[in-house]
């Protein structure tokens, strides 16, 4: 293609104008992408100090700008049919300073649904390649690429980190001290149930020049260095245990530098049961009415993908999870069950924790009995963080299509929008895969991939009374957005018009690596509830079991999303940009429950069962009639409690 050659030629001239071209010794092809910036070009292992460098000095290296990773793919344009092997890639592969480090299947490389007339797809698009080159020439190539070529950065994938919980105004006050000054040591000891020392508890200390952080040893002790003046300057202490205990958040703590400061954590509460042998439910499952449907509804036959940080399948409730791959280690079939971050294991427990995997429990404690929303579903693990890139997310989605999964939870984010990833998500949807993701925990705009059309984006809500008041969970509420039932929109949840529904995402107790349990916050936890909810719909809703809507196509995904939105209980006084259509409720799903089954003290109407209507709806946010002082007084009390001003 003449146009492509011109573009690549222009990029070559950019490098040649400042530095003579080099020749590859094996192929003789001009190095068209030689860097014009000598710092950017030097990617060699030798020291940059020159030929006279002594042997002892060669162990050191000058700090230079590293080469960047880029994704190159093709977009579908009217009248342009991409070829299976595009000349653009052939010319790119001949350039010395461009290193092709990976090749991925392009759009349509997996099994694509047949056309409406039964014909096979017309053609398969070219593959997606991952290259490494210096940033200057990579950006030149991106700006001048032909209309059907996509060039974008292959940026690292991010993941939610709720360990820095302070208000934004305090974070702005965190600054490095301008001059060295004497520092003092503060020693801590963290104790749990029965005065047992807690190892691996994370201690965060906030104030001017902070935050600082330490992790406790096997004796439950840790030390932190501070510049704060004795008795002043420390705003808060936040302790997050590794497992089995509630976190603790202490404002304006009184700390002694000459003594060990002891902080005691409370064990996670036991799950309440009405009858012996009854399945326990978390607060999130109860509010979404998982406890109102048959205990036999477990999402059997539904295949779910979890793209996250892996999953510790040795956990007692997750031993039935046997399918996974680590894409950060060249598709290692074993290391996916090593979860350094814990988020993947936590989300896996929300979706599919199974008592059958653990066997009979003798302890009777709540954590050992927590069951997932869809424990009978088949969970596939795709580890892409830490260390993964957008290309790993593309690879994971391609494998989801190849494995013919039903639902995929994307538990990672990126700092930029990726058109190539968006195309792969569209391909997954055309293959009948529903992609669900959290809105993000930044408190700002919805993060990628939550802003991709076709993705169901979930925000997080919390509920007062489901956690101790001296925890950071109690600081998550937006006081002005608390409903009369105690449900509230969170201050950390990202928001925008892309939010489809909301779900429980505060103080969600689930599995963590090592066999323990923890209460975590985040929109990923909320998305996991919706994934489990969707698994029950796909397994039991007659509309999604029919010939047409059960077919693996876009209409199936659209129908599932519409059922979720229609079944959601809306907030009357909350911006939909924060909660979407509201909180999905299994008892509000038309046609799911048998005729005459109880629904908030009433029964489902005949029209709701026969059609796709709303049915008999009653908002759960109505204030109790017996509350003294009326609705306004109750709402004021709830806001005070959320702000930590009333116990």
């Amino acid at each position: 293609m003449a146009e492509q050659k011109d573009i690549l030629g222009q990029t070559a001239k950019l490098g040649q104008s400042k530095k003579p071209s080099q020749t590859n010794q094996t192929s003789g092809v001009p190095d068209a992408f030689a860097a014009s910036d000598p710092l950017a070009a030097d990617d060699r292992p030798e020291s940059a100090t020159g030929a006279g460098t002594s042997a002892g000095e060669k162990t050191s290296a000058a700090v230079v700008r590293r080469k960047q990773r880029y994704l190159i793919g093709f977009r579908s344009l009217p009248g342009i049919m991409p070829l299976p092997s595009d000349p653009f890639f052939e010319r790119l592969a001949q350039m010395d300073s461009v290193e092709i480090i990976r090749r991925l299947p392009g759009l349509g490389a997996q099994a694509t649904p047949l056309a409406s007339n039964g014909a096979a797809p017309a053609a398969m698009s070219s593959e997606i390649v991952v290259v490494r080159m210096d940033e200057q020439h990579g950006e030149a190539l991106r700006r001048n690429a032909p209309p059907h070529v996509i060039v974008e950065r292959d940026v690292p994938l991010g993941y939610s980190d709720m360990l820095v919980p302070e208000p934004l105004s305090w974070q702005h006050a965190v600054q490095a001290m301008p001059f060295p000054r004497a520092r003092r040591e503060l020693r801590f000891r963290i104790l749990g149930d029965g005065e047992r020392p807690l190892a691996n508890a994370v201690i965060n200390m906030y104030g001017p020049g902070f935050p600082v952080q330490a992790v406790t040893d096997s004796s439950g002790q840790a030390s932190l260095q501070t510049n704060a003046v004795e008795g002043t300057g420390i705003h808060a202490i936040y302790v997050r245990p590794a497992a089995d205990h509630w976190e603790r958040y202490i404002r304006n703590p009184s700390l002694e530098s000459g003594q060990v400061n002891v902080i005691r954590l409370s064990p996670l509460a036991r799950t309440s049961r009405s009858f012996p042998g009854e399945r326990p439910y978390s607060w999130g499952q109860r509010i979404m009415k998982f406890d109102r449907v048959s205990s036999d509804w477990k999402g059997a036959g539904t295949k779910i993908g979890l793209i996250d940080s892996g999953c510790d399948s040795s956990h007692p409730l997750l031993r039935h999870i046997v399918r996974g791959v680590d894409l950060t280690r060249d598709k290692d079939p074993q290391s996916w069950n090593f979860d350094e971050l814990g988020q993947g294991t936590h989300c896996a427990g929300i979706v599919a924790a199974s008592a059958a995997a653990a066997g009979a429990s003798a302890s009777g404690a709540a954590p050992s009995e927590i069951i997932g929303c869809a424990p009978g579903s088949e969970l596939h693990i795709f580890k892409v963080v830490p260390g993964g890139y957008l290309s790993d997310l593309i690879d994971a989605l391609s494998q989801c299509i190849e494995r013919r999964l039903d639902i995929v939870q994307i538990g990672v984010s990126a700092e930029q929008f990726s058109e190539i990833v968006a195309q792969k998500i569209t391909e997954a949807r055309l293959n009948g895969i529903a992609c669900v993701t959290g809105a993000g925990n930044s408190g700002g705009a919805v993060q990628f991939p939550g802003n991709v059309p076709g993705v169901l984006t979930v925000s997080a809500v919390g509920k007062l009374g489901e956690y101790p008041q001296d925890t950071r969970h109690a600081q998550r509420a937006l006081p002005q957005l608390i409903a009369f039932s105690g449900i509230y929109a969170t201050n950390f949840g990202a928001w925008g018009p892309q939010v489809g529904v909301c779900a429980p995402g505060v103080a969600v107790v689930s599995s963590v690596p090592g066999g323990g349990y923890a209460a975590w916050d985040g929109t990923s936890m909320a998305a996991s509830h919706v994934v489990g909810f969707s698994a029950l719909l796909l397994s039991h809703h007659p509309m999604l079991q029919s010939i047409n809507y059960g077919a693996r196509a876009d209409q199936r995904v659209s129908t599932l999303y519409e059922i979720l939105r229609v079944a959601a209980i809306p907030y009357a006084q909350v911006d939909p940009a924060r909660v979407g259509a509201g909180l999905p409720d299994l008892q509000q799903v038309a046609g799911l429950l048998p005729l005459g089954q109880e629904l908030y003290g009433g029964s489902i109407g005949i029209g709701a069962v026969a059609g796709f209507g709303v049915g008999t709806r009653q908002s759960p946010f109505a204030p109790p009639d017996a509350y003294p002082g009326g609705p306004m007084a109750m709402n004021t009390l709830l806001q005070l409690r959320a702000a930590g001003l009333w116990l």
Side-chain angles (χ1 to χ4, degrees):
M1 297 182 180
E3 182 182 12
Q4 293 174 358
K5 292 182 179 179
D6 290 341
I7 296 299
L8 295 176
Q10 292 172 11
T11 311
K13 291 178 181 178
L14 177 62
Q16 294 171 354
S17 62
K18 295 185 180 181
K19 182 178 181 179
S21 62
Q22 300 174 351
T23 301
N24 186 296
Q25 295 179 357
T26 59
S27 64
V29 179
D31 188 357
F33 279 82
S36 59
D37 183 352
L39 292 181
D42 195 322
D43 196 37
R44 296 166 296 178
E46 291 84 9
S47 172
T49 57
T53 305
S54 65
E57 294 176 338
K58 287 186 178 180
T59 57
S60 63
V63 177
V64 299
R65 295 181 63 183
R66 67 177 182 270
K67 292 184 177 181
Q68 299 296 323
R69 295 166 59 112
Y70 287 86
L71 282 167
I72 302 179
F74 298 88
R75 62 173 59 94
S76 299
L77 295 176
I80 298 179
M81 182 67 68
L83 301 175
S85 179
D86 196 286
F88 191 89
F89 285 161
E90 297 177 8
R91 179 69 184 278
L92 195 67
Q94 297 175 359
M95 298 180 176
D96 291 343
S97 60
V98 176
E99 178 187 1
I100 296 181
I101 58 177
R102 194 173 185 184
R103 296 178 182 270
L104 299 169
L107 182 64
Q110 282 73 33
T112 305
L114 298 179
S116 58
N117 59 359
M124 185 197 333
S125 69
S126 296
E127 61 189 349
I128 300 167
V129 299
V130 184
V131 303
R132 184 183 289 118
M133 67 181 98
D134 69 86
E135 187 174 3
Q136 181 178 2
H137 295 104
E139 291 302 308
L141 182 63
R142 182 183 61 82
R143 290 191 302 268
N144 298 300
H148 72 291
V149 177
I150 305 172
V151 180
E152 57 189 25
R153 292 275 300 275
D154 186 22
V155 299
L157 293 172
Y159 47 89
S160 64
D161 185 359
M162 301 296 289
L163 293 181
V164 184
E166 291 310 305
L168 197 59
S169 59
W170 286 15
Q171 291 183 11
H172 283 317
V174 175
Q175 297 178 356
M177 307 303 285
F179 302 102
R181 56 185 297 180
R183 296 171 65 87
R184 63 190 180 101
E185 181 182 62
L186 290 175
R187 294 182 294 163
F188 292 88
R189 191 179 188 197
I190 310 301
L191 301 177
D193 191 22
E195 297 293 293
R196 176 169 59 92
L198 298 180
N200 298 319
V202 180
I203 305 173
N204 293 273
M205 186 161 59
Y206 299 94
F210 297 110
V212 292
Q213 185 182 94
V215 180
T216 58
D217 58 20
S218 59
S219 65
Q221 299 191 60
S223 298
L224 294 91
Q225 298 288 330
T226 173
N227 289 315
V229 180
E230 186 80 26
T232 63
I234 299 176
H235 298 310
I237 294 290
Y238 173 55
V239 181
R240 183 175 181 177
D244 301 332
H245 289 77
W246 288 105
E247 62 182 40
R248 191 164 180 196
Y249 177 77
I250 306 173
R251 284 184 173 179
N252 300 319
S254 175
L255 303 174
E256 298 292 338
S257 59
Q259 304 179 20
V260 177
N261 299 274
V262 178
I263 300 177
R264 293 176 172 83
L265 306 184
S266 302
L268 292 175
R270 293 173 176 265
T271 300
S272 60
R273 289 186 176 189
S274 301
F275 302 99
E278 180 186 3
R279 171 182 166 180
Y281 294 91
S282 66
W283 78 264
Q285 292 172 338
R286 291 194 304 271
I287 204 171
M288 297 178 77
K289 303 302 187 297
F290 282 88
D291 58 336
R292 302 294 182 89
V293 300
S294 172
S295 59
D296 295 332
W297 289 15
K298 299 181 179 180
T302 306
K303 298 166 68 175
I304 300 172
L306 180 59
I307 304 176
D308 213 301
S309 60
C311 174
D312 180 7
S313 58
S314 67
H315 193 285
L317 299 187
L318 304 176
R319 291 173 182 164
H320 60 299
I321 301 175
V322 296
R323 300 170 179 84
V325 61
D326 186 351
L327 298 175
T328 68
R329 296 189 179 183
D330 197 23
K331 300 184 180 180
D332 190 321
Q334 301 296 330
S335 56
W336 61 268
N337 52 23
F338 178 61
D339 184 2
E340 302 99 310
L341 305 178
Q343 178 173 287
T345 304
H346 199 272
C347 291
I350 298 172
V351 174
S354 173
S361 174
S363 66
S368 63
E369 300 170 344
I370 291 174
I371 307 302
C373 299
S377 60
E378 180 181 298
L379 199 59
H380 296 241
I381 305 299
F382 301 91
K383 181 177 179 179
V384 296
V385 289
Y389 294 81
L390 284 174
S391 53
D392 296 302
L393 175 56
I394 294 171
D395 196 356
L397 290 168
S398 295
Q399 293 197 41
C400 291
I401 299 171
E402 183 178 354
R403 300 185 188 195
R404 297 177 63 82
L405 303 187
D406 300 296
I407 311 168
V408 173
Q409 178 177 343
I410 305 175
V412 293
S413 60
E415 63 183 18
Q416 69 177 37
F417 187 94
S418 169
E419 184 179 352
I420 297 178
V421 173
Q423 285 191 160
K424 185 60 67 172
I425 290 175
T426 300
E427 181 186 357
R429 176 163 177 160
L430 292 175
N431 281 271
I433 299 176
C435 293
V436 181
T437 188
N441 302 323
S442 65
V446 170
Q447 298 175 333
F448 180 85
N451 53 6
V452 174
V455 170
L456 181 63
T457 303
V458 184
S459 64
V461 295
K463 187 175 186 295
L464 297 179
E466 296 295 339
Y467 41 75
Q469 286 299 306
D470 61 349
T471 63
R472 186 59 183 166
H473 307 303
Q475 310 297 321
R476 302 300 193 193
L478 289 170
Q480 69 275 20
L481 299 179
I482 304 176
F484 294 117
S485 64
I487 300 174
Y488 56 79
T490 62
N491 53 15
F492 64 81
W495 55 284
Q498 302 92 349
V499 174
V501 294
C502 61
V506 177
V508 177
V509 179
S510 184
S511 49
V512 291
Y517 305 82
W520 286 3
D521 306 336
T523 57
S524 288
M525 287 77 238
S528 295
H529 280 87
V530 174
V531 167
F533 193 108
S534 301
L536 294 191
L537 294 181
L538 289 173
S539 296
H540 302 285
H541 198 288
M543 185 174 293
L544 295 171
Q545 293 287 316
S546 65
I547 296 177
N548 291 333
Y549 297 150
R552 304 189 62 81
D554 175 67
Q555 191 173 15
R556 179 197 195 201
V557 179
S558 299
T559 303
L560 173 63
Y561 289 173
E562 186 62 24
I563 292 175
L564 286 166
R565 293 188 181 98
V566 171
I569 302 295
Y571 285 86
Q573 300 177 347
V574 180
D575 185 356
R578 291 193 178 273
V579 296
L583 186 72
D585 185 318
L586 276 171
Q587 285 193 310
Q588 299 286 0
V589 179
L592 181 62
L593 302 180
L595 181 63
Q597 183 166 332
E598 292 296 319
L599 179 63
Y600 300 116
S603 61
I604 301 176
I606 296 178
V609 176
F612 194 54
V614 176
T616 304
R617 297 174 63 87
Q618 180 175 334
S619 171
F621 309 125
D625 297 335
Y627 183 78
M632 294 184 63
M634 180 184 181
N635 196 37
T636 300
L637 175 60
L638 293 174
Q639 293 182 16
L640 290 173
R641 284 180 176 174
L645 303 176
W646 187 278
L647 300 179

